[in-house]
Amino acid sequence: MTHEILISSTEIKQRIREIADEINRDYAGKELLAVCILKGAVIFASDLIRLLTVPVSLDFMVLSSYNKQTSTGIVTVKKDMDIDPQERHILIIEDIIDTGHTVSHLMSLLKLRNPASIKLCSLISKPSRREVEVDIDYLCFNVPDEFIVGYGLDYEQHFRNLPNIEILKL
Ligand code: IMP
Ligand code: MG
């Protein structure tokens, strides 16, 4: 197995700064409920929320895991959020939007809970893989159709700790 750096930690840091500035502008005067989707988004969310100047509450959800390198399209909630999102401004923080199934299921589910608003923030998108349309409000990077690891993203639970985003070559 070899890795090839696709996005360096320096580039990630710069881009998150830009996204955080946008979020701070857009949510001025509001309070955010940031929902980090575990486990993949944990590193991204922790870096991002520390750059937010608007008031933020943090919650977590665990959704059904990705099975190796294929997506099933079946999504289940393994751990739900603790905070009631009713009348709150939800910002979902995801690691990667691939086929789009996970996040579109999640958005429909959360909309039923009557939040004041719901937006999506993702570290990565692979637009060429999309099977359902997803509107990403804040996106750090588009990547080509390669399997990537690092900065929270895993291959069979490995490599989440890598500081750069890398292409996994099996
Ligand atoms: P989707 O439902 O196909 O959009 O899949 C989203 C989930 O698949 C992400 O939350 C990841 O857990 C996983 N995933 C998709 N592509 C990759 C990748 O390149 N590396 C690591 N995980 C991935
Ligand atoms: Mg994930």
Side-chain angles (χ1 to χ4, degrees), residues 108-165:
S108 342
L109 180 103
L110 293 181
K111 275 175 192 158
L112 297 174
R113 299 180 182 179
N114 301 314
S117 69
I118 178 160
K119 284 193 179 186
L120 173 62
C121 175
S122 185
L123 176 68
I124 301 282
S125 173
K126 283 191 207 169
S128 61
R129 296 256 310 158
R130 208 72 92 243
E131 289 172 14
V132 288
E133 204 190 308
V134 176
D135 186 15
I136 309 174
D137 301 282
Y138 306 99
L139 173 65
C140 292
F141 304 102
N142 275 308
V143 304
D145 185 11
E146 300 270 11
F147 198 83
I148 57 170
V149 294
Y151 198 75
L153 290 150
D154 74 306
Y155 173 68
E156 296 188 340
Q157 303 302 329
H158 294 284
F159 314 121
R160 293 194 197 276
N161 59 313
L162 299 178
N164 305 302
I165 295 171

Side-chain angles (χ1 to χ4, degrees), residues 37-38 40 94-95:
I37 309 304
L38 295 174
E94 254 291 20
D95 53 356

